[in-house]
Amino acid sequence: GRFINANPAVAHLLGYDSPEVLMNSVTDFRHQLFACPEDIESFLSALGNEGGIISREVELLCKDQKKIWGSVGVRLVRDDEGNPVMIEGFVIDITARKLAEEAQRENEYFLQSLMDAIPSPIFYKDMQGLYKGCNVAFESFHKLNKNDIIGKTIYDLVPKQMADRLNEMDRQLYEKGGTQIFECPVLYSDGISRNVIFNKALYKNVDGSLGGVVGVIIDITQQKKLEEELRQSQKMEAVGTLAGGIAHDFNNILTTLIGYGEILGMVIGKD
């Protein structure tokens, strides 16, 4: 568990003034060098079973107990009789990359949480039409798990005729750019057709290149139903008003006819 040799770069990385100070200070690298002692046991187990160079990304402890991330590669050195003699290897500081990855994971988690909080189905897909992400509402929309959506195309989710139309709308969006809003009947996974509005736009990658399409689906089935009921109600009201007018006119005619009939009856009676 002691260092028998080290270069200045390793000493500097771990916060020691020189290789000599590092070698004199670290007498049990299992606990003094590795933030998680189980990591070194994983190394030793792999070295004994696999041989060759074993690489791991692990947290290392510096002199001041500060933790850094290192990409560590080691191999087991044996003597002429095959007995283990020592471990030699290298370490690369990957702390900046790990912090960037963690920040990206946090951003992705926040974005996913934000999308999941929106009740309308949301999705985004790349230039090849492969779904890259969606929210919980989109999963419910298709009655599918996210793992069954990511990496699939619209042809895997809806009937071909409908997929052809939606795919054509994507093509038009790629050509014209901007945003795209259109109404379309969609067959849900329960076999019921509903009226929805697609609101889509293009998104770009970090380097400015076109990334794909992001969209929101708004179910307006209930709204359309209410509009139809309102139209029917207005139509019935109009028919009722017309019928009332006609009835009134007929009543006027009947009153006149009855009046004339009574006069006619009186005249006939006199004769």
Side-chain angles (χ1 to χ4, degrees):
R2 299 181 62 93
F3 282 100
I4 58 176
N5 195 7
N7 69 352
V10 172
H12 176 73
L13 177 64
L14 297 175
Y16 294 89
D17 294 333
S18 66
E20 289 74 23
V21 174
L22 170 64
M23 289 185 286
N24 291 329
S25 301
V26 178
T27 58
D28 181 7
F29 67 82
R30 281 180 172 82
H31 298 92
Q32 289 179 268
L33 184 60
F34 287 84
C36 182
E38 289 78 8
D39 286 336
I40 186 59
E41 301 304 331
S42 173
F43 270 120
L44 295 176
S45 176
L47 285 171
N49 295 330
E50 302 174 23
I53 297 178
I54 306 300
S55 297
R56 297 281 192 279
E57 293 184 355
V58 298
E59 275 191 300
L60 301 174
L61 289 175
C62 295
K63 179 182 178 182
D64 59 2
Q65 297 301 298
K66 174 185 175 182
K67 295 179 181 179
I68 64 171
W69 277 96
S71 175
V72 180
V74 298
R75 74 182 184 94
L76 186 63
V77 178
R78 300 177 182 274
D79 59 20
D80 294 338
E81 298 179 356
N83 299 311
V85 177
M86 62 181 178
I87 297 172
E88 62 180 12
F90 62 88
V91 57
I92 300 173
D93 186 0
I94 59 171
T95 305
R97 174 170 68 80
K98 280 291 187 177
L99 292 176
E101 290 175 351
E102 180 62 26
Q104 182 178 351
R105 281 194 297 270
E106 290 180 358
N107 289 335
E108 290 174 351
Y109 178 79
F110 173 75
L111 176 61
Q112 188 64 52
S113 299
L114 185 64
M115 289 197 305
D116 287 341
I118 298 174
S120 296
I122 299 174
F123 65 90
Y124 56 97
K125 49 189 177 180
D126 62 18
M127 294 293 292
Q128 286 71 47
L130 299 175
Y131 286 99
K132 306 298 290 184
C134 64
N135 66 349
V136 172
F138 190 82
E139 294 180 68
S140 299
F141 182 83
H142 288 288
K143 295 293 190 298
L144 291 172
N145 185 277
K146 185 178 297 183
N147 295 330
D148 298 321
I149 296 173
I150 305 303
K152 302 295 181 61
T153 72
I154 188 64
Y155 287 92
D156 298 309
L157 306 185
V158 301
K160 183 179 184 303
Q161 184 176 0
M162 188 182 303
D164 285 340
R165 180 183 178 187
L166 296 176
N167 193 52
E168 172 61 20
M169 297 304 292
D170 282 350
R171 187 190 64 78
Q172 293 180 21
L173 181 59
Y174 289 137
E175 290 181 356
K176 299 178 181 178
T179 59
Q180 184 184 73
I181 301 175
F182 63 94
E183 184 177 334
C184 178
V186 172
L187 187 66
Y188 277 50
S189 58
D190 57 11
I192 299 176
S193 179
R194 291 177 172 85
N195 291 300
V196 302
I197 291 178
F198 283 88
N199 192 330
K200 300 190 296 184
L202 301 177
Y203 71 87
K204 293 183 178 180
N205 296 316
V206 177
D207 59 6
S209 61
L210 194 59
V213 174
V214 58
V216 180
I217 303 174
I218 302 174
D219 190 338
I220 59 171
T221 305
Q222 189 63 25
Q223 179 182 334
K224 298 284 285 186
K225 181 180 178 181
L226 292 175
E227 289 176 355
E228 181 60 29
E229 290 176 353
L230 180 60
R231 278 195 295 269
Q232 291 295 331
S233 176
Q234 291 174 340
K235 185 184 297 184
M236 292 300 295
E237 183 179 345
V239 170
T241 301
L242 177 61
I246 293 173
H248 178 69
D249 291 340
F250 272 114
N251 284 334
N252 289 339
I253 296 171
L254 283 173
T255 301
T256 303
L257 289 174
I258 291 171
Y260 279 123
E262 290 176 351
I263 296 172
L264 181 61
M266 288 186 291
V267 172
I268 293 173
K270 288 181 179 180
D271 291 343

